[in-house]
Amino acid sequence: MLDFIYQAFAARIVFGSGKVSEIAAEVDRLGGKSALVISTGSQRAVADAAIERLGGNFAVRIDGAVMHVPRADVNDAVALARRQGCDSVVAIGGGSAIGLAKGIALDTGLPVIAVPSTYAGSEMTDIWGISEGDGKVTGRAPVVVPKCVIYDPDLTRDLPARLAGPSGINAIAHSVEALYAQNRNPVLSMIAEEGIRALASGLPAVCAGSAGDEERGRAVYGAFMCGLALATATMGIHHKLCHVVGGTFGLPHAETHTIVLPHATHYNRDAAPEAMAAVARALGADSAAGGLFDLALRIGAPTALRDLGLEEENLDRAADIATAAPYYNPQPVDRDGVRRLLDDAFHGRRPGSDA
Ligand code: NAD
C-alpha cells in the first residue's frame, strides 16, 4: 500500500540551450531592481553578458567565488550587498558560486537566481555550508533555496572531462542513495532513476569531448533530477564514508564519491534489491555496482582511492571513524564489511570480482 511523504521545494526551472539570456528577465520577474551578480572565474563572460542585459537592474558583481564558502567571503558579500542596496542575487557557476549566494541569502533573506555550470546539484537544495576555522558548518533553511534556476547546457560546453566525470558521478551518487533512502517514496524514486539514466547517457560523450547539444542537455537534465533527489532524500553509507574518508584525509570531494560509489552500492546489494534493479536499469547494466564502476572507467574518472594519495595504513582508521556512530543504511553497517569495502575502493577492484 502506498504510504509516504514527499517534500518538494517550490522553484521555477528554466531549461534549455541559450537560456542564460533569460537571467535579466528572471530578475525582473522577481521584481529585482538592484542585482548582485556572483560568478566563478570560468563563467566571467556569461556574467558580463548578463550584466549588460540587466542594465539599470544591475548593482554590483563578485568574481571568483572560491571552494567551501569561507565565512569571511560571506561577511564581505553581505556587507557589499547592504551597502549597494541589493534586492536579489544571481549566482553563475558551480557549487562554490551558488554556495556563496546561499550564504548571503541565509544572512539577508535576498532571493537567489541560480545558473549552474556543473552537475553538483546545490541549486535544488535547502542545504547551505560555510567554512569557519578548520571545519564547515552546514544546515538547512528554506530561505537559501533559489527562487529560480536557469539550466543552460551551453555553460557546460567547456567543462573539462576531469571535472565533468567526477561531478556527474557525484550527482549520480545522490540518486543512488535516494533509491534506498529511509524516506524513499515513489516520486523520489522516479526522479532518482531518471537522473541516473540521463546523466549516464550524456556523460560519456561529454567526457570524450564529442557531445552535441543533445548529450550536453541530457547530462544537465540528469544533474537537475539528481539535485532534486538530493534535496529531500536522507543519505546512507556512501555519503557517510565519503564525508569521513574525504574530510579526515583531505581528499577531493567529487573524485572520492566517484571511487566509493560502486563499492557502497555493492555493500547494499542484498538489502536494497529494488534500488539495485532501478540503478542497473538506468545504466543499462547487468548489475548496479558493476555498471557504476564501468561508467567511471568509460569516462576516464578515477577508480582507486590510492590514486588520490590516500595511504593504505589509513584504511583502518577510516573504517573506525565511519562505524563509530550508528546511522540508517539498508544493509546494517559493520566494521569488517566497511573495512573490506574500503580495501576494494583503495585498490580500485571491480565490485563483485575476486581479484
Ligand atoms: P566549484 O563551483 O568550485 O567548481 C569546480 C571547478 O570547476 C572550479 O574551478 C570552477 O571554476 C570550475 N568550473 C565550474 N563550471 C565550469 C565550467 N562550466 N567550465 C569550466 N570550468 C568550470 O565546485 P562544484 O564541483 O560545482 O561543486 C562542489 C561544491 O558544491 C562543494 O563545495 C560542495 O560541498 C558543494 N555542494 C553543495 C550542495 C548543497 O546542496 N549545498 C550540493 C552539492 C555540492
Side-chain angles (χ1 to χ4, degrees), residues 40-43 65-69 93-99 102 116-129 136 139 154-160 162-163 167 170 174 230-231 253-254:
T40 35
S42 66
Q43 301 307 315
V66 300
M67 279 292 258
H68 303 309
V69 193
S96 298
I98 295 168
K102 285 175 153 183
S117 65
T118 68
Y119 308 127
S122 176
E123 67 281 356
M124 294 312 300
T125 82
D126 65 346
I127 306 165
W128 57 268
K136 192 165 182 177
D154 293 356
L155 296 197
T156 62
R157 210 176 270 277
D158 298 324
L159 194 60
R162 72 180 163 78
L163 290 176
S167 180
N170 182 19
H174 300 140
L230 169 67
H253 176 89

Side-chain angles (χ1 to χ4, degrees), residues 222-317:
F224 163 32
M225 293 290 115
C226 291
L228 259 184
L230 169 67
T232 60
T234 54
M235 296 285 117
I237 190 170
H238 170 75
H239 279 79
K240 179 75 177 178
L241 278 176
C242 290
H243 185 72
V244 165
V245 178
T248 309
F249 304 107
L251 305 181
H253 176 89
E255 285 79 359
T256 306
H257 277 267
T258 302
I259 294 165
V260 171
L261 182 63
H263 304 284
T265 306
H266 185 66
Y267 187 88
N268 284 324
R269 66 195 179 282
D270 296 329
E274 284 182 19
M276 297 299 129
V279 174
R281 205 164 47 229
L283 295 172
D286 290 340
S287 84
L292 290 165
F293 186 84
D294 293 343
L295 176 64
L297 275 185
R298 191 166 160 217
I299 63 175
T303 52
L305 287 174
R306 64 180 174 199
D307 294 341
L308 300 187
L310 183 68
E311 302 288 340
E312 192 164 9
E313 68 207 31
N314 286 325
L315 295 182
D316 280 324
R317 200 167 139 230

